Amino acid sequence: MRTEAAHSYPPLRQRSGVLLLRRSGYSLLYIALIAVAVIQVLPLVWLFIFSLKNNQEVFNMAPFAIPAHPHWSNYENVWSNGNIGQYFINSVWITAVSLALTVMLASFVTFAVTRMRWKSSSLVLGLFMVGLMIPVHSTLIPLFSMFNKLHLTDNPVSIILSYVAFNLPTTIMILLGFYYSLPKEVEEAAIIDGCSVNTMFFRIVLPMTSSVLATTAIINMIYNWNEFIFVNTFISSDHFKTLTVGVQNFIGQYTTDWGAIGATLMISILPILLVFLIMSERIVEGIAAGSVKG
Amino acid sequence: MEKVMSNKLVIALYVLPSLLLIMGIIYIPIVLTGYYGLNQWDGISKMVFIGLDNYKELVQDSAFWHSALHSLLLALFSGVSLIGYLGIAMVLSGKIKGANLLRKIYLVPMLLSSVAIAQLWLKIYHPTNGVLNSLLVSLGVDNPPSWLAEPSIVLIALFIPIIWQYAGFYILIYYAALKNIPESLMEAARIDGASPWQIATRIKLPLISEVIKVTVVLSVVGSLKYFDLIYVMTDGGPNGASEVMASYMYHKAFRSFDFGYGSAIGFFLLLICLVATFLIRKATASKETIQYS
């Protein structure tokens, strides 16, 4: 509700001038906002269009013209010719396992730090929070040599351990606020009823946090699905590569076939775009929560 | 109650696995990076302790300082673009129809992998068949530049997709912060005759200053350690013109197999990120916190 009407206004004629100015300013701003939105999606629209063309059409038609007979076969070809299917499956299970582990471990830590009583809880929390500031690259060389010694290079375990460790701080940070706000009475009642800590955590607290768990899971999913440097460094065989690194290598072999490249890229980004279409509200919330609270 | 909630065994069970994990994957490697930096090591043969020689070499390595300069330029460019994001978020958080949809559209590039973004922009910048130069030719430009092959423009050509990638992220953060300001404050200001500009600069900006600080840290530190897109798009080329600190480290370690020198760069990168965080926090530390609840 606007309250402007309730207050004193300048004379009528002057007011309509201001209104006109305000309205045209408003339209200009609106056009600018829409222009930014167009810039954000236009490259993707172009990607989709050239994924349906053959090279001749890419080079001779107008960039945004859709061919009369779209080459959906580009998608079939890249899916059946390369290892895209394998990469896709790897991405799915590595992403899923890492995010399940991260969310579970982060819940444990956050519960212990916020709800239980022990001396060094703030020190331990501090250790996790400092982790937010550490650049991945500064750990890369020792991690590589450590995993090498343990025979974990070219093994998905190295990737999963790295994902979980580097995602724990952000995940704990998102969970913290929620755990602090849980009412104390819940625990008191549970203990009076004779619950053990474990029962309380698994049966009462964890279900209560399900909405924020979904948020953290999505943030983890986006990060894991798109991660590049760990897989690129630790994994060498095609059998264990994920979609991001696989796509990079695949495109390296097909530098000249634009349709194939477009189709490959579309396959790699579609799952995330679909999840975004379905759960955009939660993703938007999670990204905002995950970054501001620090 | 006290006894149940301070059960040492349960606490250990809940905290230790994660603690061991971040120790093993984050903290021990950081210490090792510092140690490897004091050695000559190719990753395979025996390490030779050489003290601070790698760091002395680093100080005199002009290729490294060029990469550091590029990282710094990116940080500066990202920092300045925050002003634009803030402006967009201000407009968006006003009474705009479809604001919710717009901020979601802005966010789309942020969801994609750097590899996909890099490959897409490689095609956009393609000298002959890319959409950018096709457009320039149709507008009558005879010899459009080959964006990623010219040392003088390659950096700016790389910064644009990075801006494109993160725009929605920062707009979203600012938008969320602005939406958190109680409407009653703005109403009160309007009643007192404040203009929209005054409301934006005197009320909204001070109230979201904490969030602005966080985004400055995020964008500067993020820029200093930036890697993925540049690695895929130009690999630091042509001739080092787009090398940044993280890519230089990667090349030294995993291409030239100079793990000791790479570690020295990695450790330096860590120090720079920590110092940058500290300095920004210090410089922007407010004497009083503003409360509105």
Side-chain angles (χ1 to χ4, degrees):
Chain A
M1 276 295 260
R2 294 199 146 194
T3 51
E4 275 169 30
H7 304 288
S8 62
Y9 267 106
L12 191 64
R13 203 180 299 159
Q14 203 185 328
R15 200 168 85 205
S16 65
V18 170
L19 268 180
L20 189 69
L21 198 70
R22 198 174 279 177
R23 202 164 285 168
S24 57
Y26 177 88
S27 326
L28 267 180
L29 289 176
Y30 205 63
I31 290 168
L33 287 180
I34 291 172
V36 175
V38 169
I39 292 170
Q40 292 303 94
V41 290
L42 210 55
L44 292 173
V45 175
W46 181 59
L47 171 67
F48 176 64
I49 290 173
F50 84 66
S51 77
L52 298 176
K53 291 176 173 175
N54 61 27
N55 267 0
Q56 207 193 346
E57 289 161 338
V58 173
F59 303 151
N60 296 329
M61 289 171 76
F64 286 95
I66 298 166
H69 301 285
H71 295 272
W72 291 104
S73 53
N74 285 339
Y75 285 80
E76 287 164 38
N77 291 343
V78 296
W79 186 268
S80 53
N81 287 348
N83 279 318
I84 295 291
Q86 180 69 44
Y87 301 148
F88 195 93
I89 292 164
N90 289 342
S91 269
V92 170
W93 81 259
I94 290 177
T95 296
V97 169
S98 312
L99 90 79
L101 273 172
T102 312
V103 170
M104 197 64 232
L105 287 175
S107 296
F108 279 135
V109 172
T110 316
F111 179 78
V113 167
T114 58
R115 313 302 292 190
M116 299 188 70
R117 255 153 277 168
W118 42 299
K119 268 188 232 139
S120 25
S121 64
S122 57
L123 175 77
V124 166
L125 181 62
L127 273 177
F128 282 99
M129 293 299 108
V130 170
L132 286 169
M133 291 191 290
I134 310 266
V136 165
H137 302 92
S138 301
T139 62
L140 205 58
I141 296 171
L143 276 180
F144 179 74
S145 77
M146 274 165 47
F147 286 138
N148 219 357
K149 274 186 200 128
L150 297 169
H151 302 288
L152 287 176
T153 41
D154 208 15
N155 183 332
V157 171
S158 62
I159 306 296
I160 292 170
L161 287 178
S162 307
Y163 287 3
V164 176
F166 275 97
N167 282 339
L168 270 175
T170 325
T171 309
I172 291 174
M173 191 172 73
I174 299 175
L175 292 178
L176 268 181
F178 200 89
Y179 270 82
Y180 277 128
S181 68
L182 288 177
K184 260 219 143 62
E185 287 76 15
V186 176
E187 281 154 29
E188 280 162 10
I191 289 169
I192 290 167
D193 286 350
C195 268
S196 71
V197 184
N198 286 322
T199 326
M200 182 204 303
F201 176 71
F202 284 103
R203 291 279 176 80
I204 302 169
V205 176
L206 214 51
M208 282 173 81
T209 61
S210 60
S211 68
V212 69
L213 286 184
T215 304
T216 57
I218 291 164
I219 301 298
N220 271 283
M221 186 198 115
I222 295 172
Y223 174 83
N224 294 342
W225 186 269
N226 291 331
E227 203 282 328
F228 174 71
I229 180 105
F230 285 136
V231 183
N232 195 47
T233 311
F234 301 153
I235 301 290
S236 47
S237 64
D238 270 340
H239 188 62
F240 293 125
K241 274 179 190 153
T242 58
L243 208 45
T244 36
V245 174
V247 160
Q248 175 64 8
N249 296 359
F250 186 74
I251 288 173
Q253 301 158 23
Y254 290 83
T255 41
T256 49
D257 187 348
W258 284 47
I261 292 170
T264 313
L265 292 177
M266 282 306 295
I267 291 174
S268 81
I269 65 179
L270 270 178
I272 290 280
L273 287 183
L274 276 179
V275 171
F276 186 58
L277 273 181
I278 301 165
M279 311 195 66
S280 59
E281 205 55 55
R282 189 135 267 164
I283 293 176
V284 165
E285 237 170 63
I287 291 175
S291 46
V292 177
K293 286 188 180 136
Chain B
M1 175 86 188
E2 283 292 326
K3 220 176 97 199
V4 179
M5 293 312 277
S6 51
N7 184 330
K8 290 256 157 56
L9 181 68
V10 175
I11 292 170
L13 273 174
Y14 280 21
V15 173
L16 276 183
S18 305
L19 201 58
L20 289 176
L21 196 62
I22 64 160
M23 283 297 164
I25 304 287
I26 301 180
Y27 288 104
I28 292 173
I30 286 293
V31 175
L32 285 177
T33 300
Y35 174 68
Y36 291 172
L38 303 172
N39 288 271
Q40 189 168 29
W41 187 38
D42 59 7
I44 302 154
S45 40
K46 217 168 149 34
M47 264 188 238
V48 181
F49 188 82
I50 53 167
L52 290 173
D53 282 6
N54 279 328
Y55 291 93
K56 283 178 195 152
E57 196 185 330
L58 194 61
V59 174
Q60 291 163 0
D61 184 352
S62 66
F64 170 73
W65 289 112
H66 276 121
S67 74
L69 175 70
H70 300 152
S71 295
L72 208 63
L73 284 174
L74 177 59
L76 204 68
F77 194 77
S78 314
V80 171
S81 60
L82 288 181
I83 300 169
Y85 303 148
L86 186 58
I88 293 174
M90 283 270 187
V91 176
L92 202 64
S93 68
K95 294 188 172 67
I96 294 277
K97 266 185 218 135
N100 212 13
L101 179 68
L102 281 172
R103 75 183 169 138
K104 280 176 195 163
I105 294 176
Y106 295 158
L107 200 63
V108 169
M110 158 92 194
L111 307 168
L112 312 182
S113 71
S114 295
V115 170
I117 291 176
Q119 289 295 347
L120 171 57
W121 280 81
L122 276 175
K123 295 295 174 227
I124 291 175
Y125 282 135
H126 193 278
T128 48
N129 304 317
V131 69
L132 183 61
N133 281 0
S134 306
L135 196 76
L136 287 176
V137 167
S138 68
L139 288 173
V141 179
D142 284 335
N143 284 311
S146 49
W147 301 94
L148 299 172
E150 290 176 26
S152 56
I153 47 174
V154 63
L155 268 186
I156 198 77
L158 285 172
F159 290 172
I160 288 167
I162 298 174
I163 294 291
W164 179 78
Q165 180 180 14
Y166 285 102
F169 172 69
Y170 289 109
I171 293 172
L172 166 68
I173 294 177
Y174 289 143
Y175 178 88
L178 288 165
K179 277 289 176 193
N180 262 336
I181 303 176
E183 188 61 23
S184 59
L185 283 178
M186 270 87 86
E187 299 282 0
R190 263 182 228 121
I191 293 168
D192 290 346
S195 68
W197 176 254
Q198 281 172 324
I199 292 177
T201 53
R202 305 255 180 94
I203 298 174
K204 290 182 178 174
L205 273 187
L207 284 177
I208 64 163
S209 60
E210 278 301 315
V211 172
I212 295 177
K213 267 181 237 170
V214 172
T215 57
V216 170
V217 174
L218 279 179
S219 107
V220 169
V221 173
S223 304
L224 291 176
K225 62 182 186 191
Y226 201 81
F227 175 80
D228 290 11
L229 207 82
I230 291 174
Y231 176 79
V232 177
M233 282 181 79
T234 62
D235 202 15
N239 200 15
S242 64
E243 196 88 271
V244 287
M245 283 189 285
S247 65
Y248 192 61
M249 183 226 91
Y250 201 82
H251 288 149
K252 282 291 169 188
F254 296 101
R255 294 259 171 81
S256 317
F257 296 102
D258 197 342
F259 275 55
Y261 197 58
S263 297
I265 303 171
F267 197 69
F268 195 81
L269 184 64
L270 170 75
L271 289 182
I272 288 186
C273 288
L274 293 181
V275 168
T277 311
F278 178 75
L279 285 182
I280 298 165
R281 293 249 172 213
K282 192 101 183 161
T284 56
S286 53
K287 284 166 201 80
E288 50 191 316
T289 43
I290 302 149
Q291 302 265 328
Y292 49 77
S293 53

